[in-house]
Amino acid sequence: MTSIASTLPAPGRGERAARLGRRFGLAMLVLLVLAGLIGPYLIPHDPYTQDLLARLQEPVWGEDGNWNHILGTDQLGRDVLARALYGVRVSALIGLSVALMGGLIGTTLGVVAGYFGGPVDRAVSFLITARLALPIILVALAVVSVVGASLTVVVLVLGLLLWERYALVARTMAAGLRNAEFVTASRLQGCTHLQIIWSDILPNLVGNLLIIGTVDAAMAITLEASLSFLGLGVPAPMPSLGLMIAEGKENMLFQPSLVVIPSVVLFVLVLCVNRAGESLRAVQMKKG
């Protein structure tokens, strides 16, 4: 007797390759975050310590490279590996903080608009439209240049700008769920609006909001690197991948690794965050 499972088409090579790519990206993201968290404690060099006698040393694969500084040193003699690992920590912290802050703002506005509708929905829709009309990078540049560059300011500015995706998705889904049978049953039982939103609406939004969180985290990491490259992000001497690229461009012709290494680390970090989002999206599609 032929089973139903045997009649289903086997996954193609493209699907298997995509699944392996998502898993590899997720594993790389975990490794990068762990490296950023514990790596600075495992290597013997401090990312802030300067040694002008050891400045501009080549990576270990170069002619004058040595294992004391595996990825070489920068123009002030600071270890590039130590600064890159610390830069991953800073980027991950900014990405996570901005995603959480934007998620809190956008989800709150979107759920309230979708659940109550009417004037509340129109007011939130106006806020979303106004936010979409603002260019993120230009607003961030203007605010940071006026207020001053710091890690806290960068997180606050980006968190206050990256929330509209959460609001749009939460608004649409909450509007579709507010008349669902289980929500009506909760109303008949005497539950308050807050209880219904917390117990019935939000649990159905978590999967999609997590996917948006990975997208916004990757965007926040990229925006922070752009601001730091322009000198308006994380202030020196705190290691930042964008700041490392900006500092290394002065010696790019003589030691291109000072630009290539942080650029590659930044690229891999953003790519892995996006791959993690694709993995969450695939899981969400299977559940749906």
Side-chain angles (χ1 to χ4, degrees), residues 176-271:
L177 293 171
R178 65 183 176 187
N179 295 321
E181 293 182 359
F182 59 90
V183 175
T184 304
S186 297
R187 289 198 189 99
L188 294 176
Q189 293 175 2
C191 296
T192 63
H193 293 308
L194 182 60
Q195 289 174 331
I196 293 174
I197 290 174
W198 182 260
S199 301
D200 297 329
I201 303 295
L202 284 177
N204 291 282
L205 307 182
V206 172
N208 290 303
L209 295 178
L210 286 177
I211 296 172
I212 298 172
T214 59
V215 175
D216 279 0
M219 181 173 290
I221 292 171
T222 306
L223 289 171
E224 180 276 325
S226 302
L227 291 173
S228 297
F229 180 82
L230 297 173
L232 295 173
V234 176
M238 180 180 291
S240 166
L241 297 176
L243 184 60
M244 290 178 65
I245 298 172
E247 293 175 342
K249 72 180 188 298
E250 298 178 358
N251 299 284
M252 185 175 179
L253 295 178
F254 307 100
Q255 193 166 330
S257 61
L258 293 177
V259 173
V260 173
I261 290 174
S263 299
V264 170
V265 173
L266 178 63
F267 170 78
V268 173
L269 179 60
V270 173
L271 178 64

Side-chain angles (χ1 to χ4, degrees), residues 14-253:
E15 183 180 348
R16 288 196 296 268
R19 189 185 305 120
L20 289 175
R22 290 193 296 266
R23 292 177 180 176
F24 177 75
L26 186 59
M28 285 295 297
L29 176 62
V30 173
L31 289 176
L32 275 174
V33 173
L34 287 177
L37 291 175
I38 65 176
Y41 299 104
L42 300 179
I43 58 178
H45 301 288
D46 185 87
Y48 297 99
T49 302
Q50 301 180 13
D51 184 4
L52 296 180
L53 296 178
R55 63 189 300 269
L56 296 178
Q57 287 190 4
E58 294 183 352
V60 67
W61 58 81
E63 295 182 1
D64 299 325
N66 61 77
W67 288 99
N68 186 34
H69 299 284
I70 298 178
L71 298 182
T73 58
D74 62 8
Q75 68 279 358
L76 296 177
R78 297 171 297 190
D79 187 75
V80 173
L81 176 60
R83 291 182 65 78
L85 290 176
Y86 201 95
V88 170
R89 179 193 297 185
V90 172
S91 296
L93 174 63
I94 291 175
L96 179 61
S97 301
V98 171
L100 289 176
M101 184 177 176
L104 179 61
I105 297 172
T107 303
T108 301
L109 292 174
V111 169
V112 169
Y115 180 78
F116 291 103
V120 177
D121 186 22
R122 288 192 292 271
V124 173
S125 298
F126 173 78
L127 291 177
I128 295 174
T129 304
R131 159 59 200 92
L132 291 173
L134 297 174
I136 297 178
I137 188 65
L138 293 181
V139 174
L141 284 171
V143 173
V144 174
S145 62
V146 172
V147 178
S150 70
L151 180 61
T152 304
V153 171
V154 171
V155 171
L156 289 176
V157 171
L158 295 181
L160 291 172
L161 290 172
L162 294 174
W163 56 266
E164 76 283 351
R165 288 185 181 86
Y166 300 97
L168 289 169
V169 172
R171 172 178 171 270
T172 303
M173 296 189 68
L177 293 171
R178 65 183 176 187
N179 295 321
E181 293 182 359
F182 59 90
V183 175
T184 304
S186 297
R187 289 198 189 99
L188 294 176
Q189 293 175 2
C191 296
T192 63
H193 293 308
L194 182 60
Q195 289 174 331
I196 293 174
I197 290 174
W198 182 260
S199 301
D200 297 329
I201 303 295
L202 284 177
N204 291 282
L205 307 182
V206 172
N208 290 303
L209 295 178
L210 286 177
I211 296 172
I212 298 172
T214 59
V215 175
D216 279 0
M219 181 173 290
I221 292 171
T222 306
L223 289 171
E224 180 276 325
S226 302
L227 291 173
S228 297
F229 180 82
L230 297 173
L232 295 173
V234 176
M238 180 180 291
S240 166
L241 297 176
L243 184 60
M244 290 178 65
I245 298 172
E247 293 175 342
K249 72 180 188 298
E250 298 178 358
N251 299 284
M252 185 175 179
L253 295 178

